[in-house]
Amino acid sequence: MLKKIIPTIVSCSIVLTGIFSVSTLAPIEATASSYNELAERPFMGWSSWSSIRKKPTEENIKAAADVLALKFKSHGYQYVNLDDYYMLDWRTTVDDYGRWAVDPKKFPNGMKALGDYIHNKGLKFGHYVTLGIPKAAVDRNTPIEGTPYHAKDIVDFSKGQKKNFNYDEMYAIDFSKPGAQEFIDSWARLFESYGIDYLKIDGVRNQDIADVKAWAKALEKTGRPIHVELSNNLDIKHISTWKQLSNGWRTDHDVEAYGTPYLASWKKVTRRFDDVAEWQPHAGPGGWNDLDSLNVANGSKDGLTKEEKISYVSLWAIAASQFVIGNDLTKLDDFGLSLLTNDAILGVNQSGVAGKRLYKKGDTQVFYQSLPDGSYNIALFNTGADTHNVSVKWEDLGIEGSAFVRDLWSHQDLGRTEEGFTAKLSTHASRMIKVIPASALTVSPESGATGLNPSKVTLNWKASSESYSYHVQVATDPSFNKIVVDSTVSRPTAEVKNLDKDTLYYWKVSTLSGETEKQIGIYSFYTELTKVPNKVEWVLADRKNNDSVSLRWNPTLEAESYTVYRKEVNILGLSSDYTPIATDILDPNYIDNSAKLKSGVTYSYKVTAANKIGESKMSIEGYSDDQSSVKMTALLIVSFTLGAVAIIFIIARFKSKSTKKAEFANKRAS
């Protein structure tokens, strides 16, 4: 089958020190499932279940695809997954061959048309099934497509009905009977005709391994690369089977906060910490742990604080969990959008390494990824109700000497520390950092370097005493599918010529000893710029008092600096023009405390990115409302409303008096 091409996920920050790579992703060869070569990295996408649940329609799935293509595809998100309730009641209605029938009211144009729509957006189409054969198929004894067999020929009546999560009446299949595998084959062909790229098989239990094997065989026969996800709360004792037959497996029950008005709960999120630690050894290219969906972008509907949302995303990222959004994409809030499109954090998720737990002490714990280039991604968590200091010592990671630290959420360099790092974390807060040991900085140009002359780039690395030759590759993608240089050299240096301008390149070097090849590291550089940066995608403004507004934005790859513009809007809607308030900003964040901010005024901000070629177009607006202006606006609305009520009352009184005078005059006249 075709090998999945992993989307480029890069952190677009330009750093002061120049030592931090542009979120280089290690191209690890997939030890994939038995029937495909997918899931070299955790899949990224959206699922309908958390927000739409039992009411999916062609219209709302297309709307989600529109938003995913517009706001998320550039960050690596690919899959639009229709999760359940697209079918008619399988207790009474199936298609001519005993398979679920698509509800024509919900999907009037059918699944093929929906799949085509999603594919035309450059996205992938995900679908859903549970195990067994529908009751209606058994009751009608429907034929099995392409065979002389019928539904009742393959049912295992001794096992009765399979209990799945939403309907009871799917009967067990006896796969020793002729026609059993053929029934699953026909269902897989139906899904293939829809153009699906992903299939969630739900309700999987230990006794269902034969069913999962049948689906694996059936999907292989279609010839289409289809990612398979098993759900939910699978038994870790059978992990070798799940790894052989699928590309991902749910490690726990649903994260949704059923029975509440919220999408998720912190209690359910925290259950995943131990899941991550227990399941970590089993995740890797070909199959990944699935912690369930991320519900962090529908404001208060999510049921979580901002700190809890950051910790939620951080845990999924460091664990290299499948990264699937559960929110209503048509009702996104800016804060949640910023969490889900932070490319530095997405780079952690897509690193190809599932994070290990370094320690758990009371309410504090630390997870880390050890990357092939010698660097580390580290997540520090406080799951308790009180503030705690959470620390990591370099010696516990095997780091000798000092290391450089960068905050991946704020995109800020934190400098060089000698022994470790400590974060003071409030309730349910976390910190995600990139750590590069000083001893690992042995290459030139430094990983993440910019502005290199494309006509000739000289690569240097530390010589190895164990090798007399080196294998060097240069590519335009982090998975090294698009290799532009592939050579063997005898010295720790190589020259690369005639590269393209305005291009991010990845390079890796390995030692060669006989037939053994051992990777030294993976690095990156950016060639000379000839165009202005792309526009900054979004700006978040947070005003907590009258003294300052905290701004942050998504970094842009080609940017060397940023400029912040501001305008004022009063309560009557009158505004000034945008004027620059800060220039030559190196990191994608800024605190506006240049002067005491005015009460009763809304401040609007835009950001541009610049390099030596010029300045980008302005970003979309980021607003910071003063609470006093909100109160004043509300007061004016109340005042106008009361005034209107008073006028109506006076008019009514006047009309009433006029009517009574007229009646009295008529009586006197009579």
Side-chain angles (χ1 to χ4, degrees), residues 230-384:
L230 304 180
S231 184
N232 72 24
N233 194 31
L234 272 73
D235 188 345
I236 197 170
K237 294 177 182 177
H238 291 282
I239 184 57
S240 60
T241 300
W242 312 140
K243 290 174 69 173
Q244 180 187 10
L245 300 175
S246 73
N247 303 113
W249 40 85
R250 282 277 303 280
T251 63
D252 212 321
H253 292 294
D254 291 0
V255 76
E256 285 81 12
Y258 298 127
T260 77
Y262 305 115
L263 294 177
S265 72
W266 178 246
K267 181 179 180 180
K268 287 195 172 183
V269 171
T270 54
R271 283 197 345 205
R272 268 64 181 177
F273 283 92
D274 288 341
D275 291 343
V276 172
E278 182 180 15
W279 287 79
Q280 181 276 331
H282 309 297
W288 301 91
N289 298 323
D290 187 344
L291 303 184
D292 204 11
S293 58
L294 287 160
N295 298 300
V296 297
N298 285 157
S300 60
K301 179 72 174 176
D302 297 325
L304 302 165
T305 67
K306 286 187 175 182
E307 292 290 4
E308 288 169 347
K309 292 181 184 183
I310 293 172
S311 296
Y312 189 173
V313 177
S314 295
L315 181 62
W316 265 236
I318 199 72
S321 166
Q322 313 286 31
F323 218 72
V324 54
I325 305 167
N327 289 109
D328 183 344
L329 296 186
T330 66
K331 298 178 181 178
L332 296 172
D333 66 273
D334 288 341
F335 179 75
L337 180 62
S338 75
L339 299 183
L340 296 169
T341 59
N342 185 313
D343 287 327
I345 301 301
L346 298 183
V348 174
N349 176 258
Q350 297 289 293
S351 67
V353 178
K356 297 180 180 180
R357 184 157 64 187
L358 183 64
Y359 72 78
K360 178 182 179 182
K361 298 177 182 177
D363 293 328
T364 68
Q365 45 193 309
V366 173
F367 290 81
Y368 72 97
Q369 295 173 344
S370 178
L371 303 179
D373 64 358
S375 67
Y376 296 81
N377 293 323
I378 301 174
L380 304 92
F381 297 96
N382 172 19
T383 60

Side-chain angles (χ1 to χ4, degrees), residues 503 512 587:
T503 304
L512 295 175
D587 289 316

